[in-house]
Amino acid sequence: MRAQQLADQTSTLIPFNSASLQSLQRQLGKCSDVGSSIYGGTSDNGKWNWLVRGQILEVIGTSSGQRLASFCFQSEKRCTITSVKEYCIPGSSRLLVGLDVQNGGMLCLVDVITSQILTQVSFPYKVTAIEPVTYAGVVKAPNFALSDHLRCFFGIVAVGTEGGHIYLVDMHLDVEYDSLADSKKILVITPASAKTPELRRKVLRTGDHLCLELGGDHHKNRAFNFSKPSGEILKAFQASGVCVSAITYVPKLGSLFVGFDFGCFQIWRLAAPILE
């Protein structure tokens, strides 16, 4: 049995700054989710944390407790932050934020340093889970792990939604951001789609985002069919009662693990992409 190890140094507790606490505690009327709990996470380098409540996102320095950035998403409309993940891009500090908004969902990319919303992508369903896959694209994308479609993208984020939909979104990291732009739409393609480079050039002109949907054939007649790789249906669910509850990407395998709220999961190999 290993002996108990003691810390070399223990710092005192540092309180969060009052401005962030007031922001998380304030009530925005009927549009806010005032009964929601506070949750958060820590950046990969441990230098900053984020706290979330309802539609409020606060980013706080770990060592100082001071506010680094603050966001209130769609303060005039019903909106709830459903998920937050760090998007590790060299030389930047950015967060991915999933939202439940009126008549659908949204994925936002925010810059912690400038407190700007860089990208807003709208979805027809509530966004329930997000996961960064890669920040690279084209020749720098890992060819052993990504299909020909996905290697045309520049920066990929996996998005899970209500209804069990799974999207791989082209984040356009090779394009200069317009932080004042409105939310953009998605153009959905499938693994059978052709001419992906031409489609990408088309959506770049409009500012919209290309998305590869995984398992699109699992959705029929307002039902979600949880299936084997062979196509055999294990169980059919009413789409309105199903959502993606967790997503994890394993870079060494090139596989995306997708969990559902009914207690099952799928593994997608992105090099094909196929269900394993």
Side-chain angles (χ1 to χ4, degrees):
M1 185 174 179
R2 295 178 61 184
Q4 182 179 3
Q5 294 183 353
L6 301 177
D8 293 332
Q9 180 182 358
T10 303
S11 64
T12 58
L13 292 175
I14 299 175
F16 292 131
N17 66 89
S18 58
S20 292
L21 292 177
Q22 291 174 7
S23 176
L24 292 166
Q25 293 169 358
R26 70 179 176 176
Q27 300 189 3
L28 299 174
K30 296 180 180 179
C31 298
S32 66
D33 192 358
V34 296
S36 61
S37 59
I38 296 177
Y39 64 94
T42 303
S43 64
D44 190 58
N45 60 16
K47 293 184 178 181
W48 43 278
N49 312 277
W50 62 86
L51 294 173
V52 173
R53 186 189 185 202
Q55 60 201 126
I56 303 294
L57 170 63
E58 291 284 328
V59 184
I60 299 170
T62 304
S63 59
S64 65
Q66 296 303 306
R67 172 191 274 179
L68 301 180
S70 179
F71 304 90
C72 178
F73 294 91
Q74 299 197 359
S75 59
E76 302 302 322
K77 301 178 182 179
R78 184 192 66 80
C79 173
T80 303
I81 298 173
T82 57
S83 50
V84 179
K85 289 286 185 73
E86 182 183 7
Y87 201 7
C88 294
I89 302 174
S92 66
S93 299
R94 295 178 181 179
L95 287 172
L96 295 162
V97 184
L99 301 176
D100 172 16
V101 299
Q102 287 180 328
N103 303 318
M106 188 175 292
L107 171 67
C108 297
L109 176 63
V110 302
D111 190 306
V112 172
I113 303 302
T114 62
S115 291
Q116 288 184 316
I117 300 176
L118 302 177
T119 305
Q120 303 178 82
V121 185
S122 295
F123 292 84
Y125 312 100
K126 168 187 173 182
V127 172
T128 54
I130 55 178
E131 172 76 353
V133 174
T134 180
Y135 66 85
V138 196
V139 295
K140 294 184 179 180
N143 56 11
F144 78 94
L146 300 177
S147 68
D148 291 341
H149 302 82
L150 296 175
R151 286 199 299 274
C152 294
F153 293 5
F154 212 108
I156 301 172
V157 174
V159 176
T161 73
E162 195 173 46
H165 295 270
I166 311 161
Y167 300 100
L168 296 170
V169 186
D170 178 5
M171 294 303 295
H172 294 180
L173 296 184
D174 56 336
V175 178
E176 185 176 353
Y177 293 106
D178 180 4
S179 60
L180 301 178
D182 295 331
S183 62
K184 302 301 183 181
K185 299 178 182 179
I186 58 173
L187 176 62
V188 179
I189 63 174
T190 71
S193 299
K195 299 182 179 180
T196 304
E198 289 83 350
L199 288 173
R200 188 176 193 267
R201 286 193 289 269
K202 177 181 177 181
V203 297
L204 282 175
R205 289 194 292 269
T206 62
D208 296 332
H209 290 253
L210 214 56
C211 290
L212 176 67
E213 183 173 11
L214 300 177
D217 55 347
H218 296 174
H219 304 270
K220 293 182 180 180
N221 300 323
R222 298 184 180 180
F224 172 69
N225 298 320
F226 186 69
S227 307
K228 292 182 178 181
S230 63
E232 178 186 348
I233 297 175
L234 295 173
K235 189 173 179 62
F237 297 88
Q238 186 175 354
S240 59
V242 172
C243 75
V244 175
S245 56
I247 307 178
T248 297
Y249 177 64
V250 182
K252 291 184 178 180
L253 298 177
S255 295
L256 192 72
F257 290 69
V258 182
F260 299 91
D261 62 346
F262 49 81
C264 297
F265 68 93
Q266 294 176 335
I267 304 175
W268 287 89
R269 182 157 58 91
L270 300 188
I274 57 172
L275 179 63
E276 295 189 316

